[in-house]
Amino acid sequence: MEARVILEPAGRSLCDQPLRIAVRGLAPEQPVTMRASLRDEKGALFRAHARYCADAAGQLDLERAPALGGSFVGLEAMGLLWAMQPDRPFGRLIKRDVQTPFVVELEVLDGHEPEPDLGKLLASAVHERHFLAPGVQRVPVREGRVRATLFLPPGKGRFPGIIDLFGSSGGLCEYRASLLAGHGFAVLALAYFRFEDLPEYLSELRLEYFEEAVGFMLQHPKVKGLTIGLLGFSKGGDLCLSMASFLKGITATVLINSCVANTIVPLHYKDMIIPDLHNDLQKQKTTESGLLNMVDIWSNPQEEPNCQSLIPLEKAQGPFLFIVGMDDHNWKSSFYANIASEQLQACGKDKPQIICYPKTGHCIDPPYFPPSRVSQHALLGEAVFYGGEPKAHSRAQVDAWQQIQTFFQKHLSGKKSVKHSKI
């Protein structure tokens, strides 16, 4: 019998969806090497491999068979995807054009050769990993000053609205918003610099720009209710905290590895200025591999005069969820989340929900993205160490994705079921 790769779903799936990988037609207990590869939009190659043995019937199912070596070991059904590494130093797998899929090539090679390229090819398959669920609409937004993309779920109804913000690399990042829209949310991926006619560099920020984006969502005929949610990562997180604290119409806010103070540049709103948290670049460290470690450059926002940079989140109308990577080497995310909890309780507010993930670094992406431990920072132009242990970080991404959806469903849609973190 000829070996063949069996995939469920066959042909195509969504990037945040599990993929069942199996092989049929092998010899009993045959040793094989599985290899997965894809190229990003710039042509950079990402790949992973793992060694397995077929069972007595000549079958191999990655949900039941542990990897014996390679890019990972143990029972990891999605390991061939999350364990992918770039062929170029400091590469990070991201998606700029969500209208096209990642095309994954899966190969089955005979034996457990030291290098997977040495094995004889027994079978192969190609699978597309998409970012737009069937029926999801992608709508470019150029309203007033707002530069964004709105993703709308299929159907005629109105949907809970979310604004999605990324960090200090800038540009317009759509991949998280596009996937989230597939779960029933109207999501606005919002750029705020390094995109079209927006400023090329962060020199100062005005909250009025973000207020305009909130107004756009609240007035949109496809957005449900009188309030929206916010989802922010890194610098985008402290911007979301400021939005929740000063702007009307915000019910729920999720922060992924963020600071509780305004960072990098001053934030202006009407006649108010929140200064940026002081940083000392002389405190940055360099790892043995020559990577920047930025975690110690930031001053303590609880000490004078840094208190002026603290965001008055007690003014916010809705609850907070802090997603924290305990091995974040960009921000002291756990420390900042605890400051937020103390600050809210001191003002008689409810504690925020804080979910901490051990051995997890800074860049917490949707499920099955290869964890980014190191990459070339777009703004700094240097390789930055983000932290995290790949297997633990990958598990955290799966759990955090579900926690984010559950939080927004509860506070934007009124759904009462709450899933507790399994980690």
Side-chain angles (χ1 to χ4, degrees):
M1 185 183 298
E2 187 173 308
R4 67 189 190 280
V5 179
I6 308 295
L7 302 175
E8 296 179 13
R12 59 183 288 162
S13 58
L14 291 170
C15 261
D16 63 346
Q17 182 179 3
L19 176 64
R20 184 170 183 177
I21 304 171
V23 184
R24 301 288 182 266
L26 298 170
E29 301 180 355
Q30 181 176 356
V32 295
T33 299
M34 294 284 296
R35 183 169 62 183
S37 61
L38 65 82
R39 290 189 181 275
D40 69 8
E41 292 150 323
K42 295 183 178 180
L45 179 65
F46 291 76
R47 54 187 172 183
H49 73 280
R51 301 180 184 93
Y52 294 95
C53 283
D55 64 16
Q59 299 182 359
L60 175 63
D61 187 335
L62 269 58
E63 289 189 344
R64 295 197 295 265
L68 306 176
S71 302
F72 57 93
V73 295
L75 191 61
E76 296 290 338
M78 293 292 288
L80 286 172
L81 295 184
W82 66 250
M84 284 187 178
Q85 292 292 316
D87 65 341
R88 303 171 187 172
F90 315 136
R92 179 184 177 191
L93 185 62
I94 59 174
K95 197 74 170 74
R96 291 296 179 184
D97 180 7
V98 299
Q99 298 175 95
T100 62
F102 281 138
V103 179
V104 181
E105 183 176 358
L106 292 156
E107 297 172 303
V108 186
L109 301 139
D110 188 28
H112 289 169
E113 298 290 346
E115 296 295 330
D117 296 323
L118 299 177
K120 175 187 175 183
L121 180 64
L122 301 175
S124 64
V126 173
H127 190 82
E128 294 182 350
R129 298 284 281 175
H130 286 259
F131 288 81
L132 294 172
V136 169
Q137 297 179 58
R138 177 185 177 274
V139 184
V141 176
R142 305 295 183 270
E143 294 281 340
R145 292 173 294 182
V146 175
R147 303 292 176 263
T149 303
L150 178 63
F151 293 91
L152 295 170
K156 297 181 179 179
R158 302 172 74 199
F159 309 99
I162 298 169
I163 293 178
D164 184 21
L165 287 173
F166 273 78
S168 59
S169 293
L172 179 59
C173 296
E174 300 182 356
Y175 63 91
R176 190 168 62 197
S178 63
L179 289 170
L180 203 51
H183 296 277
F185 301 97
V187 190
L188 186 75
L190 181 63
Y192 55 97
F193 79 107
R194 292 191 76 202
F195 181 73
E196 293 186 353
D197 59 349
L198 294 173
E200 180 67 18
Y201 301 102
L202 279 177
S203 56
E204 66 173 27
L205 286 168
R206 299 207 66 90
L207 202 57
E208 285 87 351
Y209 173 78
F210 303 92
E211 188 173 37
E212 196 171 329
V214 171
F216 169 82
M217 288 294 282
L218 292 175
Q219 295 168 18
H220 198 281
K222 285 285 190 176
V223 174
K224 174 183 177 182
L226 301 175
T227 60
I228 61 169
L230 303 175
L231 173 58
F233 161 67
S234 196
K235 171 59 188 173
D238 71 65
L239 282 170
C240 285
L241 281 176
S242 294
M243 293 167 70
S245 301
F246 293 107
L247 306 182
K248 296 179 180 178
I250 295 161
T251 292
T253 306
V254 177
L255 300 318
I256 302 173
N257 283 334
S258 302
C259 186
V260 76
N262 179 56
T263 62
I264 302 178
V265 294
L267 181 67
H268 298 251
Y269 184 51
K270 298 179 180 177
D271 58 353
M272 175 199 71
I273 301 175
I274 300 181
D276 53 303
L277 182 65
H278 179 263
N279 65 79
D280 184 355
L281 292 178
Q282 292 186 349
K283 292 184 178 179
Q284 72 183 19
K285 298 176 182 176
T286 304
T287 69
E288 292 181 0
S289 304
L291 308 172
L292 290 183
N293 184 338
M294 310 290 287
V295 74
D296 291 327
I297 71 170
W298 304 100
S299 300
N300 186 337
Q302 291 182 305
E303 297 175 353
E304 291 291 351
N306 305 308
C307 299
Q308 299 174 38
S309 301
L310 274 173
I311 299 163
L313 62 162
E314 67 276 2
K315 294 183 177 181
Q317 298 303 304
F320 295 98
L321 167 60
F322 285 82
I323 302 289
V324 173
M326 296 298 286
D327 193 38
D328 183 356
H329 282 259
N330 264 49
W331 305 110
K332 296 179 179 178
S333 301
S334 176
F335 175 58
Y336 298 143
N338 288 325
I339 291 175
S341 183
E342 294 169 3
Q343 192 172 331
L344 288 168
Q345 291 180 81
C347 295
K349 298 279 187 143
D350 291 338
K351 290 194 299 184
Q353 183 181 357
I354 302 174
I355 302 178
C356 297
Y357 294 103
K359 300 180 181 179
T360 299
H362 184 63
C363 302
I364 299 178
D365 276 321
Y368 317 121
F369 268 73
S372 179
R373 303 182 71 234
V374 178
S375 78
Q376 195 85 3
H377 194 282
L379 194 62
L380 297 173
E382 297 188 61
V384 175
F385 179 60
Y386 294 124
E389 186 275 318
K391 185 179 291 190
H393 192 115
S394 179
R395 283 181 165 78
Q397 290 187 161
V398 174
D399 190 77
W401 191 238
Q402 184 58 61
Q403 295 298 325
I404 289 166
Q405 293 173 53
T406 300
F407 182 82
F408 282 134
Q409 286 166 352
K410 176 182 178 182
H411 296 291
L412 298 179
S413 301
K415 295 184 180 179
K416 300 299 182 184
S417 61
V418 178
K419 294 188 178 180
H420 296 286
S421 174
K422 298 177 182 178
I423 299 180

